[in-house]
Every structure is written in structure tokens, then in C-alpha cells.
Amino acid sequence: MGKKELPVWDLLAKQLIFEQIGSLRGLDILDFGSGDGATANHFARENHVIAVEPSQEMLKDRFADFPYTQRVGSEETLKLLPDESMDWILCHNVLEYVEPERRVPILSEFSRILRPRGTLSVVKHNRAGRVMQMVVLLNKFSHAQQLLQGGDGNAAQFGTIRYYETQDLLKWCPGLKIGKVFGLRTFWDLQQNQEIQRDAHWQEQMLTVEREVSERAEYQGVAFFHHILLQKQ
């Protein structure tokens, strides 16, 4: 996935996400909030990819083994893209970090840019999974109570996590419909043995189980992240 290396947890999460998206060839893809470019780089092997990222810092050492267009910006950059010009839009771990009033404009631009029956891939934090982490792993009971009462979370690198539900995406953009929902990192983040996580056989077994439960509602409820595929009607 590039000369530099991703952390193992990120590498395996992306492996599952890429599997859930499937094999894409010859398509126009927008990666909004592209970060270090690992996802854009992956799909640029066989597709035309435009990556949009507001942080210059994230772009200093981005993945770029395959050619793709990198733009610096946010929703204002979306306005420069033509109507119905994208087959896929990828928006992974982005919407929880933007102010709530910006979400509808962003989703509206996505709907405008997507071609009919185009797909939007959204990866988002799951509040219940975060509560599990606070209680079971970190013993942060007061923060768990805050989350249970509807409060925000926090990520060291990106700031405030403003949680939202999958159905909120349909409220913000009625032109989309939900296709599939997957759970991500259901068990992985509960394993604290750092040494065993580097073991290839352990990783293979963990991925097998994660695949098995990713579409089971009872496990999705406590997964740390959700991956939603939405289609433009």
C-alpha cells in the first residue's frame, strides 16, 4: 500500500473496507477527507481518483504509488466538480469531525456530484463501541456516562468527535438510500496484547472473525466503527 507503513490496526481496517467496497475498475472516484492518501492510492491503481484533504500536514508524506489528483480544500472544493461526475464518493471518518451545520451542505454536494446509482461509502464512529472502550479498556467511567447522555467524544489527532447515527445520513440527504451496513473493528480494539497483533497468523484469524460478524446486527451494535454504503436514487 505504499513505501511507508500504516499501523497494523489501520492496515487491517482498510483491508476490510476495501473488501466491502469490492473491486472497482475504470471508474471516477472522489476521496473526500483523504488524509495520508492510503485509500486514494489503493483505488488509483485502476481508477481515476480525485482526493480532497484540508490539512497540508496530512499531505506531507502521502501515499502516491499510483497517479491521482490531490486537491487541498474542503466543501468549497466540491463546488468545483461537475454535476454527476463521480461513480463513487469515499468519506471515511470525516463527518464526525465537521461542525453539524456543515453536514447538510456536504451531503448535498455529494448527491449532486454522484451519478445516478452512484455509491457513497461512509465510515463513522459508533457511540456504543466508544462507550465499550471507555469502560472496558480505559476505565474512564465519567466519559462513558457523558457519551451515554449524548455527549461528544475526542480524538487526540483530530479533535472533537460529534457522533451521529446511520439514519441521520438519510435526513441530511434524502436523495440517498442505504444499501449495506458493516461493523468494523468489533473485536480488534478489545485486544490489548501489542505483541500478538504483529503476528500474521493472529491477524488472519482476527480478520476471518471480523468478516463473519460484520453484517450481523447484534455485533454491529458494539463495533467501534460502521461502514455504510449508500446509493443515489
Side-chain angles (χ1 to χ4, degrees), residues 28 32 45 49 55 70 77 85 103 119 124 128 138 162 169 189 198-199 208 211 215:
D28 294 304
F32 183 75
R45 180 191 294 264
V49 176
S55 172
Q70 180 69 63
T77 307
S85 57
R103 291 168 171 169
T119 302
K124 61 178 285 294
L138 303 179
R162 301 174 179 88
L169 294 167
D189 288 353
R198 298 186 181 95
D199 181 79
T208 298
R211 288 188 192 96
E215 294 187 71

Side-chain angles (χ1 to χ4, degrees), residues 41-58:
N41 183 61
H42 171 82
F43 287 105
R45 180 191 294 264
E46 297 184 285
N47 300 278
H48 172 244
V49 176
I50 296 176
V52 177
E53 169 58 42
S55 172
Q56 290 276 12
E57 185 67 25
M58 293 293 292

Side-chain angles (χ1 to χ4, degrees), residues 3-153:
K3 293 181 181 179
K4 71 173 188 174
E5 294 184 358
L6 290 170
V8 175
W9 59 265
D10 194 13
L11 181 67
L12 297 186
K14 281 183 168 55
Q15 183 174 331
L16 284 175
I17 292 168
F18 297 162
E19 288 178 7
Q20 291 160 2
I21 290 175
S23 178
L24 305 181
R25 291 185 177 88
L27 301 180
D28 294 304
I29 299 173
L30 170 67
D31 186 4
F32 183 75
S34 56
D36 61 12
T39 297
N41 183 61
H42 171 82
F43 287 105
R45 180 191 294 264
E46 297 184 285
N47 300 278
H48 172 244
V49 176
I50 296 176
V52 177
E53 169 58 42
S55 172
Q56 290 276 12
E57 185 67 25
M58 293 293 292
L59 300 176
K60 284 183 178 179
D61 188 28
R62 65 184 174 93
F63 290 84
D65 299 295
F66 307 103
Y68 61 91
T69 301
Q70 180 69 63
R71 297 183 180 177
V72 180
S74 189
E75 55 259 51
E76 74 282 356
T77 307
L78 297 177
K79 298 181 184 299
L80 304 177
L81 299 174
D83 293 354
E84 298 184 355
S85 57
M86 293 293 157
D87 299 293
W88 279 75
I89 296 177
L90 314 177
C91 183
H92 296 170
N93 297 326
V94 173
L95 295 175
E96 50 267 83
Y97 295 112
V98 304
E99 293 79 5
E101 62 270 17
R102 293 171 57 199
R103 291 168 171 169
V104 170
I106 289 173
L107 268 293
S108 296
E109 286 298 310
F110 286 170
S111 182
R112 179 186 66 80
I113 295 165
L114 271 176
R115 293 183 173 124
R117 298 189 179 181
T119 302
L120 169 63
S121 166
V122 173
V123 175
K124 61 178 285 294
H125 285 73
N126 178 35
R127 184 187 296 273
R130 187 70 164 180
V131 171
M132 288 272 289
Q133 182 186 49
M134 292 297 107
V135 174
V136 176
L137 302 182
L138 303 179
N139 297 314
K140 294 186 176 181
F141 301 106
S142 60
H143 187 49
Q145 289 289 349
Q146 177 186 337
L147 292 174
L148 287 169
Q149 295 167 14
D152 295 331

Side-chain angles (χ1 to χ4, degrees), residues 147-196:
L147 292 174
L148 287 169
Q149 295 167 14
D152 295 331
N154 185 268
Q157 185 176 5
F158 300 109
T160 302
I161 303 171
R162 301 174 179 88
Y163 294 92
Y164 62 92
E165 302 302 322
T166 298
Q167 292 298 321
D168 289 334
L169 294 167
L170 303 183
K171 297 177 185 176
W172 300 334
C173 189
L176 301 175
K177 65 177 180 180
I178 295 174
K180 286 190 174 183
V181 178
F182 302 94
L184 287 173
R185 289 165 59 179
T186 306
F187 303 119
W188 173 272
D189 288 353
L190 298 175
Q191 174 56 258
Q192 295 302 289
N193 184 332
Q194 299 296 313
E195 290 300 318
I196 199 171

